[in-house]
Amino acid sequence: MKRVAVAVAALLAAGCMTTEPPAPEVKLYALDCGSFDLANTGMFSPNHEYDGKPGKLSDPCFLIRHPKGDLFWDAGIPYSMVTPAGSASPTKTMRDKTIPDQLAQLGLAPADIEYFAISHSHYDHIGDANMFAASTWIVDKAERDWMFRDAMRGQPVFSYYSKLEGATTTLIENGADHDVFGDGSVTMIAAHGHTPGHRVLLVKTAGAGAVLIAGDMWHLAEAQTLRTVPANNTDKAETLASMDKVEALARDNKARLVRQHVPEDVAALPAFPAALE
Ligand SMILES: [Zn+2]
């Protein structure tokens, strides 16, 4: 009887030591990959909530450094779409920092990045995508099919990501979650509707907790409370379901939400080259 008790105690002690593996050292960096200054944000809802209201939008890229490799998320505004200085255009598109220059501050180059992924393939997220054609591209199959459909070939936006077609590719099918490093620290999660394969990224850091990088789930802070869906989203019902899914995910993980186009959310992260970790 006594021997059994000792054995049980030993098992319990062993269990205590093995149930919680140490969290991997994950570092999250936000890079400046452009911004917008809009005289009118009415485009973000067909129901006129934003008509005539100006707005500034951020356009970050993210680097996630993990002991097993680096993941780069989104690729910014194409330089060819930047608004010329002095323009009176009501829509100003800015991009004044390059990805290589920013990576160099960390002693890195695009060729060092093992994994590349995008929230989705709109032009303001794929400007420098070809730069990562030598990385392993992790992509939602629905998004990849949409990017390489016949109607896209020949469109100006196609040229910014065309080289990904030949990249080493990990396809995520049927809306599954994708655990990038196999330890639950960095997960690509389906949040379809803005585009057919739009995704968000859940990053768990050891010290600063969880962060949910929310792509274009909401372009404006008010869009989250008003639940507005831009007219150009590919599926409104799917978008609304994804909003619920992403908010529940943030709650369940006590995650800090980073809506990529909301400047306050991006400014709340450590200023590059500092990292959240
Ligand atoms: Zn966007």
Side-chain angles (χ1 to χ4, degrees):
M1 187 68 193
K2 193 177 174 194
R3 256 171 56 185
V4 170
V6 169
V8 167
L11 275 173
L12 284 172
C16 285
M17 284 190 290
T18 55
T19 47
E20 280 291 322
E25 274 184 41
V26 174
K27 295 185 179 185
L28 172 70
Y29 298 88
L31 287 75
D32 179 349
C33 290
S35 61
F36 297 95
D37 192 348
L38 309 177
N40 185 355
T41 53
M43 70 181 81
F44 295 116
S45 173
N47 300 323
H48 312 294
E49 291 92 335
Y50 313 122
D51 285 6
K53 291 186 186 170
K56 290 187 196 303
L57 275 68
S58 47
D59 200 278
C61 304
F62 295 91
L63 169 68
I64 296 91
R65 305 210 73 186
H66 182 284
K68 289 187 185 167
D70 294 326
L71 168 70
F72 204 88
W73 177 261
D74 279 353
I77 292 169
Y79 296 99
S80 63
M81 303 191 69
V82 168
T83 310
S87 164
S89 169
T91 301
K92 291 192 176 61
T93 304
M94 279 85 73
R95 175 92 200 260
D96 51 21
K97 290 191 175 129
T98 73
I99 291 172
D101 282 354
Q102 293 178 83
L103 286 179
Q105 291 183 257
L106 301 172
L108 289 171
D112 298 323
I113 305 298
E114 284 86 356
Y115 303 102
F116 176 65
I118 53 173
S119 59
H120 66 298
S121 57
H122 281 163
Y123 77 93
D124 53 320
H125 299 261
I126 51 82
D128 282 328
N130 282 341
M131 201 176 271
F132 298 100
S135 307
T136 294
W137 184 32
I138 308 174
V139 62
D140 191 303
K141 184 178 185 301
E143 194 71 10
R144 191 185 185 283
D145 288 348
W146 198 61
M147 293 166 75
F148 291 100
R149 71 194 192 277
D150 286 345
M152 283 313 294
R153 296 177 190 273
Q155 299 275 339
V157 69
F158 186 82
S159 64
Y160 302 116
Y161 62 70
S162 57
K163 290 183 184 171
L164 294 178
E165 194 167 23
T168 303
T169 300
T170 299
L171 274 186
I172 317 171
E173 301 195 47
N174 303 316
D177 292 348
H178 182 76
D179 182 348
V180 177
F181 298 105
D183 58 12
S185 62
V186 181
T187 313
M188 289 173 60
I189 292 161
H192 297 173
H194 181 52
T195 62
H198 179 272
R199 284 193 170 245
V200 299
L201 189 69
L202 180 63
V203 180
K204 294 179 179 170
T205 69
V211 183
L212 194 45
I213 300 174
D216 281 15
M217 195 75 265
W218 301 280
H219 296 80
L220 307 170
E222 307 90 292
Q224 193 174 349
T225 40
L226 297 175
R227 291 173 65 79
T228 47
V229 177
N232 75 336
N233 277 26
T234 51
D235 190 316
K236 182 175 178 178
E238 207 175 29
T239 301
L240 290 168
S242 291
M243 285 179 179
D244 292 339
K245 178 181 177 179
V246 173
E247 290 194 323
L249 201 61
R251 268 197 308 275
D252 293 349
N253 288 281
K254 297 184 174 61
R256 157 201 310 235
L257 197 55
V258 179
R259 296 160 296 190
Q260 292 182 217
H261 286 310
V262 176
E264 307 91 273
D265 289 5
V266 178
L269 294 169
F272 190 83
L276 193 77
E277 56 188 298

